[in-house]
């Protein structure tokens, strides 16, 4: 199949490369001419402007927008919609707020344009590992574009099958789900990221306690000089708390036991805040997720080793770099 991609950053470019490796054709556009040229050299069809991009897509067109959530995504989808025709499909694969999807989906439907929101997890490793996708939109459209999603998904791999799931949608075991109507995909991805906050915070605090087990305030016979890199590694093997996040932590500690290259300034994505707001709207207690979000706010004023662990994990899975200087409380989507 053919897919158009707008936004060729860390994830957009790699999604295109994975699709081409799987035999699909792509049309690409980005404000960076160098990014377009790099993918064109790999076999994509480059476009010089949005009008050129749309003109090079086969009908019914499918355009995937992979840009930071907010004004740039909103403006791009609106401009794209003016150029597209009834029956075409626009996909937002970024970290958009799900209520914006619902509004946008209704507006595009009035023009006869289909809209899918695809919560995409995989970070910078997705080109190799595949992308876990949570999709919202019309079932018929999702089914028609299944070859695209199947190619991007990680596949069942070596993850053991869950007993009792026989006869269920086989796509789930491949790593992608049609979660529901427009908005459902990004809602599920939002909660995914909220849980991610809690998991990361638990690891970070645990390793901080281990690191401080040898402080002078403790009685001499209660002190332990622990190698936390070794502990991270042993927990990866047979314990009940292994995860990709632990893998990334172990890797970071093996390279630099003190994590000296990180300050401990930890940004938060919009999705962490939206998750807490959803919990408030639903009157659902979410103490861990809320505390994890607030811990990131505090990290911008007082850095600890725990925050360095968080920074290392964010860098590991998403290539998120710490700000060079200054303090910000504005969420980074």
């Amino acid at each position: 199949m053919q897919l158009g991609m707008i936004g060729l950053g860390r994830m957009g470019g790699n999604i295109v490369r994975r699709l081409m490796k799987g035999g699909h054709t792509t049309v690409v556009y980005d404000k960076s001419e160098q990014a377009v040229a790099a993918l064109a050299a790999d076999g994509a069809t480059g476009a010089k402007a949005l009008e050129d991009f749309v003109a090079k897509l086969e009908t019914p067109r499918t355009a995937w927008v992979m840009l930071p959530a907010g004004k740039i995504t909103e403006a791009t989808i609106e401009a794209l919609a003016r150029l597209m025709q009834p029956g075409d499909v626009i996909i937002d694969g970024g970290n958009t707020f799900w209520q914006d999807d619902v509004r946008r989906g209704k507006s595009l439907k009035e023009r006869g344009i289909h809209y899918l929101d695809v919560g995409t997890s995989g970070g910078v490793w997705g080109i190799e590992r595949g992308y876990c996708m949570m999709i919202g939109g019309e079932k018929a459209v999702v089914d028609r574009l299944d070859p695209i999603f199947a190619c991007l998904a990680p596949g069942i791999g070596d993850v053991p099958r869950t007993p009792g799931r026989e006869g269920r949608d086989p796509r789930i075991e491949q790593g992608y789900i049609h979660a529901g109507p427009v908005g459902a995909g990004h809602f599920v991805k939002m909660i995914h990221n909220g849980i991610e906050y809690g998991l990361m915070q638990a690891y970070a605090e645990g390793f901080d306690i281990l690191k401080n087990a040898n402080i002078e305030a403790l009685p001499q016979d209660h002190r332990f000089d622990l190698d936390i890199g070794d502990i991270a590694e042993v927990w990866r093997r047979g314990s009940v708390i292994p995860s990709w996040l632990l893998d990334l932590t172990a890797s970071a500690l093996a390279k630099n036991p003190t994590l000296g290259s990180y300050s401990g300034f930890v940004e938060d994505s919009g999705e962490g805040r939206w998750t807490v707001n959803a919990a408030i709207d639903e009157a659902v207690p979410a103490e861990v997720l809320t505390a994890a979000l607030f811990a990131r706010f505090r990290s911008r004023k007082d850095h600890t080793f725990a925050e360095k662990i968080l920074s290392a994990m964010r860098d590991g899975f998403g290539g998120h770099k710490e700000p060079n200087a200054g303090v910000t409380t504005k969420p980074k989507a």
Side-chain angles (χ1 to χ4, degrees), residues 15 46 72 111 144 157 174 290 297:
I15 286 174
I72 185 172
R111 308 185 198 189
R144 177 166 65 82
Q174 300 298 316
T290 303
F297 298 163

Side-chain angles (χ1 to χ4, degrees), residues 228-249:
I228 59 174
D230 285 352
I231 293 169
E233 186 64 31
V234 77
W235 281 350
R236 296 180 61 219
R237 305 175 186 282
S239 83
V240 298
I241 59 167
S243 71
W244 186 28
L245 292 172
L246 182 59
D247 294 344
L248 295 170
T249 302

Side-chain angles (χ1 to χ4, degrees), residues 25-78:
T25 59
T26 59
V27 179
V28 298
Y29 173 66
D30 191 281
K31 65 179 182 180
S32 168
E33 295 180 1
Q34 292 84 354
V36 173
L39 280 163
D42 289 339
T45 299
K48 296 181 179 180
L50 205 56
E51 293 80 1
D52 184 36
F53 171 82
V54 172
K56 289 179 176 177
L57 290 173
E58 302 166 358
T59 57
R61 304 173 184 86
T62 301
W64 184 312
V65 178
M66 202 65 172
L67 296 169
K71 292 181 179 179
I72 185 172
T73 292
E74 194 74 36
T76 300
I77 289 179
E78 178 58 32

Side-chain angles (χ1 to χ4, degrees), residues 307-331:
E307 272 80 55
K308 292 186 178 185
I309 291 282
L310 290 175
S311 285
M313 281 189 275
R314 294 186 82 242
D315 187 20
F317 67 73
H320 302 293
K321 303 300 181 184
E322 293 179 338
N324 292 327
V327 175
T328 178
T329 57
K330 184 178 179 180

Side-chain angles (χ1 to χ4, degrees), residues 145-161:
L145 297 179
D146 189 75
I148 294 291
F149 301 128
C151 179
L152 293 174
I156 193 167
D158 57 1
V159 178
R161 307 191 77 167

Side-chain angles (χ1 to χ4, degrees), residues 55-329:
K56 289 179 176 177
L57 290 173
E58 302 166 358
T59 57
R61 304 173 184 86
T62 301
W64 184 312
V65 178
M66 202 65 172
L67 296 169
K71 292 181 179 179
I72 185 172
T73 292
E74 194 74 36
T76 300
I77 289 179
E78 178 58 32
L80 186 61
R82 289 196 294 266
L83 298 170
M84 298 183 86
Q85 299 175 347
D88 292 345
V89 180
I90 296 176
I91 299 172
D92 181 359
N95 286 332
T96 288
F97 183 41
W98 65 272
Q99 291 182 14
D100 289 336
D101 289 313
V102 174
R103 168 184 52 78
R104 194 181 289 155
K106 290 178 180 177
S107 175
L108 291 174
K109 187 175 182 180
E110 292 175 357
R111 308 185 198 189
I113 298 172
H114 304 291
Y115 179 79
L116 301 182
D117 55 292
V118 181
T120 310
S121 180
V124 296
W125 299 93
I127 188 171
E128 299 173 2
R129 295 168 57 105
Y131 299 90
C132 176
M133 290 167 291
M134 296 138 269
I135 308 166
E138 300 171 58
K139 182 179 184 301
V141 179
V142 175
D143 289 347
R144 177 166 65 82
L145 297 179
D146 189 75
I148 294 291
F149 301 128
C151 179
L152 293 174
I156 193 167
D158 57 1
V159 178
R161 307 191 77 167
T162 302
R165 287 200 54 86
E166 296 79 12
R168 305 291 292 272
D169 185 348
R171 293 185 289 198
I172 309 302
E173 289 186 324
Q174 300 298 316
Y176 64 113
I177 181 174
H178 178 212
V182 170
H186 277 144
F187 185 86
V188 174
K189 177 58 162 52
M190 175 184 75
I191 303 305
H192 165 282
N193 281 25
I195 292 170
E196 178 185 291
Y197 275 41
L199 292 172
M200 292 173 70
Q201 189 65 30
Y203 281 127
E205 292 177 6
F207 283 113
D208 205 4
I209 296 169
L210 292 171
K211 182 179 182 295
N212 286 283
N214 197 32
I215 61 172
E216 293 183 1
L218 297 171
Q220 185 64 46
D221 59 349
H222 288 185
R223 300 179 194 174
F224 301 106
D225 186 11
L226 302 170
D227 188 318
I228 59 174
D230 285 352
I231 293 169
E233 186 64 31
V234 77
W235 281 350
R236 296 180 61 219
R237 305 175 186 282
S239 83
V240 298
I241 59 167
S243 71
W244 186 28
L245 292 172
L246 182 59
D247 294 344
L248 295 170
T249 302
S251 176
L253 289 168
K255 295 173 182 175
N256 185 350
T258 66
L259 301 182
S261 60
Y262 298 99
S263 72
F265 185 110
V266 186
E267 298 229 45
D268 68 283
S269 71
E271 290 177 304
R273 301 186 186 206
W274 301 335
T275 296
V276 172
N277 288 336
I280 293 170
D281 291 342
E282 299 169 15
V284 172
E287 297 95 333
V288 171
L289 307 189
T290 303
L293 174 64
F294 286 179
R296 296 194 177 196
F297 298 163
R298 184 194 52 73
S299 79
R300 297 162 199 172
K301 298 184 179 182
D302 180 24
H303 309 322
T304 67
F305 188 75
E307 272 80 55
K308 292 186 178 185
I309 291 282
L310 290 175
S311 285
M313 281 189 275
R314 294 186 82 242
D315 187 20
F317 67 73
H320 302 293
K321 303 300 181 184
E322 293 179 338
N324 292 327
V327 175
T328 178
T329 57

